[in-house]
Amino acid sequence: MAGGSRSTRVTITQIAREAGVSTSTVSKVLNGHGDVAEDTRTLVESVMRRNGYHRRPSRQRGTLVDVVLNELDSDWSLEIVRGADEVLHSAGMDMVLSVVHGRSEETRQWLDRLAARRSAGVVLVVSELSDRQRERLAAMGVPLVLVDPVGGTTEDIPTVGATNWSGGMSGTSHLIELGHRRIAHIGGPAELNCAQARADGFGTAMQRAGLTVPQEYVNHGEFNERSGYAQAQALLDLPEPPTAVFAASDLQALGAYEAMRERGLRAPDDLSVVGFDDLPLARRVSPPLTTVRQPILEMSTLATRTLLRLMDGETLENPRVELATRLVVRDSTRRVTGD
Amino acid sequence: MAGGSRSTRVTITQIAREAGVSTSTVSKVLNGHGDVAEDTRTLVESVMRRNGYHRRPSRQRGTLVDVVLNELDSDWSLEIVRGADEVLHSAGMDMVLSVVHGRSEETRQWLDRLAARRSAGVVLVVSELSDRQRERLAAMGVPLVLVDPVGGTTEDIPTVGATNWSGGMSGTSHLIELGHRRIAHIGGPAELNCAQARADGFGTAMQRAGLTVPQEYVNHGEFNERSGYAQAQALLDLPEPPTAVFAASDLQALGAYEAMRERGLRAPDDLSVVGFDDLPLARRVSPPLTTVRQPILEMSTLATRTLLRLMDGETLENPRVELATRLVVRDSTRRVTGD
């Protein structure tokens, strides 16, 4: 679809004629008006698709760029917003910030509002659009960049992520090098690519070291503290608990801290703990958390810069980028004793 | 100015005639176009002011509400954004988020962009507008609500803050009740009302308890960790250091933790520490921080709801509101020993 023949553009009139509707109906579909029958909307959209209809790219269509987050619940989201703000404001653009709470209904409403007010482009963070929604953006000529993409690789939409798999490898290898053998993984949502890549990195590091991982040593849940707490409780209840855990997020690692505290246990003496993210609080908690650093701010600035380039009609040589993660060793991990 | 006679509205044509310019020039001034001579802009604005010209209130003018922050650097800002998002998105509005870094140039640029794209209203957080800038918003018919207002009381502009003075009193009284006599204050920027109110609450609590405060026990700086660190260093270097400090922010309190750590000291045994804000990290640091809780999320949602009411043309019975702060006792304070 991308880079299609912009020189021989079809017009709204042609779309209208082919769909057998008025130009004002086509215009309503493009602008997200609610008063178009569902059948008509589907028909018009399919005609636009068939003809490769795209609105002209969009610098001239105002100074608003949409940044869409799933949640606004931690320093992770704060860094994303900061990065986008830096780039947009130096470009003289404004950021429209939306939070969709992982609900498709809220995503739909956001997209309706976007269509009504125009947007020059979208940075979508850890969220998903249906194929239909992506096509709607494309038909409106609104370019899209994904940060930390949730789903499978999505055709030719540019993405910026972190090297989650390598990060999972290095966090786990660190524990193996400290002599740990019974290592568990506190995982994120299995349906998210980033979480699954971290879990796979963990698995590969264990396998390469010739270590077997009991099935009950690998679990999945949300990235939050409560899920980390619950998963750690289950691990500590096992007849043979692990001596170390690699958590898929810092917040989950803090949940593990909490589960240990309740039992009078403490990292790293009773359990070595590695997190993922390196949120600002990772160095402030007690003990300061060993973790795999994600360059969140850089991911966000790169994604936003990429969007500006798309808005200028540039072609990207590298539409899918992963920025390096890096192990940060602090005080929550230590050499295994006994075992 | 507020509540002026909307029934007998002057028109752009009348403004243009009186100012001796074209209507398109008046329109350019209203819309923030750059190509109007400074003298002309000043003239047109003064004629608008003299005639009490206001644009019609603004629900019909789109779904964008501006939220302007000074910084995006802590959970404090995150809570503000979350609160605004909740209210705006349930009202079907979008949030344009801008960060002006305390620079008047960035505020000016933001205001130019706002004028060009229209905005239904503004929530301005810990920031300042010049009289001129406020008048420009008023002339555009864009209502304004201030959160945690920086400067003096600004005529009839609605504000939402926290009971900073009472909070300063209660944080300090807690230390006095624990038997402390040598209590210092790590202050925020003296030019900010919220910081000065906290310092005054501290001073009054000390005075009522009949305690004298040496001049070198009260300092001012930024709300950040570095400033707290520097102020704590100076206090610990005194021939007679305090046994307790009341810091004007949690981050400053954490800076004091750091200064103590460097000297092998620790709260609460060597120094009792009280913070202000109750950021999420306050309960996670070691020792968990005793602090004065600000209802940041509530401040933000109330301010945004107030803005929506203004946009609907409602009259506010209480344009200036302070929400209650509350002492949260954790482990960084203890009864004084010796002295």
Side-chain angles (χ1 to χ4, degrees):
Chain A
M1 234 187 248
S5 52
R6 282 206 176 102
S7 44
T8 61
R9 293 169 59 84
V10 283
T11 63
I12 288 188
T13 316
Q14 289 170 284
I15 300 288
R17 194 178 311 137
E18 186 167 336
V21 300
S22 68
T23 53
S24 88
T25 300
V26 175
S27 175
K28 279 178 183 172
V29 169
L30 277 169
N31 294 323
H33 281 276
D35 60 343
V36 177
E38 200 52 30
D39 283 0
T40 311
R41 178 189 296 280
T42 308
L43 171 67
V44 170
E45 284 176 345
S46 79
V47 174
M48 290 194 293
R49 212 153 49 234
R50 198 159 58 231
N51 285 282
Y53 178 82
H54 291 277
R55 275 227 177 119
R56 224 163 274 284
S58 39
R59 270 268 164 124
Q60 70 271 32
R61 285 203 289 109
T63 60
L64 296 175
V65 163
D66 276 70
V67 175
V68 183
L69 290 164
N70 229 356
E71 299 293 346
L72 251 185
D73 58 352
S74 73
D75 290 328
W76 199 97
S77 8
L78 193 65
E79 292 284 279
I80 292 284
V81 176
R82 280 181 57 201
D85 170 72
E86 277 177 22
V87 174
L88 291 177
H89 284 169
S90 15
M93 312 283 291
D94 275 316
M95 166 170 42
V96 178
L97 182 67
S98 298
V99 187
V100 294
H101 306 103
R103 294 188 206 114
S104 57
E105 174 61 14
E106 295 198 33
T107 305
R108 199 189 57 70
Q109 288 168 353
W110 157 74
L111 196 52
D112 285 345
R113 290 198 306 270
L114 176 143
R117 69 174 145 70
R118 309 294 173 83
S119 173
V122 175
V123 176
L124 190 74
V125 186
V126 205
S127 293
E128 215 152 7
L129 291 185
S130 65
D131 291 349
R132 175 84 183 280
Q133 291 170 328
R134 278 199 299 268
E135 282 160 12
R136 197 168 156 202
L137 273 183
M140 293 189 281
V142 176
L144 169 67
V145 175
L146 304 179
V147 176
D148 228 352
V150 168
T153 49
T154 356
E155 312 121 54
D156 45 4
I157 293 173
T159 64
V160 178
T163 56
N164 291 298
W165 184 84
S166 310
M169 280 274 287
S170 66
T172 311
S173 301
H174 167 67
L175 293 168
I176 295 170
E177 282 156 21
L178 289 172
H180 291 277
R181 295 292 168 263
R182 300 205 312 270
I183 309 176
H185 178 48
I186 293 181
E191 69 277 15
L192 296 193
N193 276 358
C194 60
Q196 193 54 54
R198 290 169 206 176
D200 286 351
F202 163 83
T204 296
M206 294 296 281
Q207 193 184 11
R208 287 208 186 145
L211 299 171
T212 50
V213 183
Q215 205 175 358
E216 60 273 23
Y217 270 26
V218 178
N219 297 283
H220 287 276
E222 298 301 309
F223 276 133
N224 59 30
E225 202 166 347
R226 197 172 47 211
S227 166
Y229 171 85
Q231 291 189 55
Q233 291 285 20
L235 291 170
L236 294 168
D237 278 339
L238 290 175
E240 191 165 52
T243 66
V245 293
F246 164 57
S249 77
D250 286 352
L251 293 178
Q252 289 177 314
L254 296 192
Y257 275 23
E258 185 59 31
M260 293 166 73
R261 195 154 28 229
E262 280 188 9
R263 295 165 188 242
L265 304 177
R266 193 178 150 85
D269 294 342
D270 302 295
L271 187 72
S272 282
V273 178
V274 174
F276 202 104
D277 284 334
D278 198 23
L279 300 182
L281 61 78
R283 63 180 177 84
R284 283 177 167 141
V285 292
S286 173
L289 183 68
T290 295
T291 188
V292 178
R293 180 169 196 280
Q294 280 207 80
I296 305 168
L297 190 74
E298 293 86 334
M299 285 159 62
S300 176
T301 53
L302 178 61
T304 313
R305 272 195 215 101
T306 303
L307 183 71
L308 294 181
R309 293 180 54 198
L310 287 177
M311 283 157 48
D312 281 342
E314 284 185 44
T315 309
L316 304 174
E317 54 291 348
N318 258 313
R320 305 181 60 78
V321 178
E322 289 198 347
L323 299 183
T325 51
R326 177 170 64 81
L327 181 71
V328 181
V329 178
R330 298 201 181 93
D331 305 335
S332 63
T333 48
R334 54 167 283 187
R335 189 154 289 283
V336 72
T337 49
D339 198 25
Chain B
M1 236 189 249
S5 52
R6 282 210 174 100
S7 44
T8 61
R9 291 171 60 84
V10 284
T11 63
I12 288 187
T13 316
Q14 289 169 283
I15 299 288
R17 194 177 312 137
E18 186 169 336
V21 300
S22 68
T23 53
S24 89
T25 300
V26 175
S27 176
K28 279 178 183 171
V29 170
L30 277 169
N31 293 323
H33 280 277
D35 60 344
V36 178
E38 200 52 30
D39 284 359
T40 312
R41 178 188 297 278
T42 309
L43 171 66
V44 170
E45 284 176 345
S46 78
V47 173
M48 289 194 293
R49 213 153 48 235
R50 198 159 58 231
N51 285 282
Y53 178 83
H54 292 278
R55 276 227 176 120
R56 223 163 274 283
S58 40
R59 270 265 165 127
Q60 70 272 31
R61 285 202 291 111
T63 60
L64 296 175
V65 164
D66 276 69
V67 175
V68 182
L69 290 164
N70 228 356
E71 300 292 345
L72 212 73
D73 59 352
S74 72
D75 289 328
W76 200 98
S77 7
L78 193 65
E79 292 283 281
I80 292 284
V81 176
R82 280 181 58 202
D85 170 72
E86 278 177 22
V87 174
L88 290 178
H89 284 169
S90 15
M93 312 283 291
D94 274 317
M95 167 171 42
V96 178
L97 182 66
S98 298
V99 186
V100 294
H101 306 104
R103 295 187 206 115
S104 57
E105 174 61 14
E106 294 198 32
T107 305
R108 200 188 58 69
Q109 288 168 353
W110 156 74
L111 196 51
D112 284 345
R113 290 199 306 271
L114 176 142
R117 70 173 145 70
R118 308 295 171 84
S119 174
V122 174
V123 176
L124 190 74
V125 185
V126 204
S127 292
E128 214 151 9
L129 291 185
S130 66
D131 291 349
R132 175 83 183 282
Q133 291 171 327
R134 278 200 299 269
E135 282 161 13
R136 197 167 157 203
L137 274 184
M140 292 190 281
V142 176
L144 170 67
V145 175
L146 304 179
V147 175
D148 228 351
V150 168
T153 49
T154 356
E155 312 121 55
D156 45 4
I157 294 173
T159 63
V160 177
T163 56
N164 291 298
W165 184 84
S166 310
M169 279 275 287
S170 67
T172 310
S173 300
H174 168 65
L175 293 169
I176 294 171
E177 282 156 20
L178 289 172
H180 291 277
R181 296 292 169 261
R182 300 206 311 271
I183 308 175
H185 178 49
I186 293 181
E191 69 277 14
L192 296 193
N193 276 358
C194 60
Q196 193 54 55
R198 289 169 207 177
D200 286 351
F202 163 82
T204 296
M206 294 298 281
Q207 194 185 9
R208 288 208 186 146
L211 298 171
T212 49
V213 183
Q215 205 176 359
E216 60 273 22
Y217 270 26
V218 178
N219 297 283
H220 286 277
E222 297 301 309
F223 277 132
N224 59 30
E225 202 167 346
R226 198 172 45 212
S227 167
Y229 171 84
Q231 292 189 53
Q233 291 285 18
L235 290 170
L236 294 169
D237 278 339
L238 290 174
E240 192 165 52
T243 65
V245 293
F246 164 57
S249 77
D250 286 353
L251 292 179
Q252 290 177 315
L254 297 191
Y257 276 23
E258 185 59 32
M260 293 166 73
R261 196 155 27 231
E262 281 188 9
R263 295 165 188 242
L265 305 177
R266 192 178 151 83
D269 293 340
D270 302 294
L271 187 71
S272 282
V273 178
V274 174
F276 202 106
D277 283 334
D278 198 22
L279 300 182
L281 62 79
R283 64 181 177 85
R284 284 177 166 138
V285 292
S286 174
L289 183 68
T290 296
T291 188
V292 178
R293 180 168 195 281
Q294 280 206 80
I296 305 169
L297 191 74
E298 291 87 334
M299 285 159 61
S300 176
T301 53
L302 177 61
T304 312
R305 273 195 214 101
T306 303
L307 183 71
L308 294 181
R309 293 179 54 197
L310 287 176
M311 284 157 48
D312 281 341
E314 284 185 44
T315 309
L316 304 174
E317 54 292 347
N318 258 314
R320 306 181 60 77
V321 178
E322 290 198 346
L323 298 183
T325 52
R326 177 170 63 80
L327 181 71
V328 181
V329 178
R330 297 200 181 95
D331 305 335
S332 64
T333 47
R334 54 166 282 186
R335 189 154 289 282
V336 71
T337 50
D339 197 25

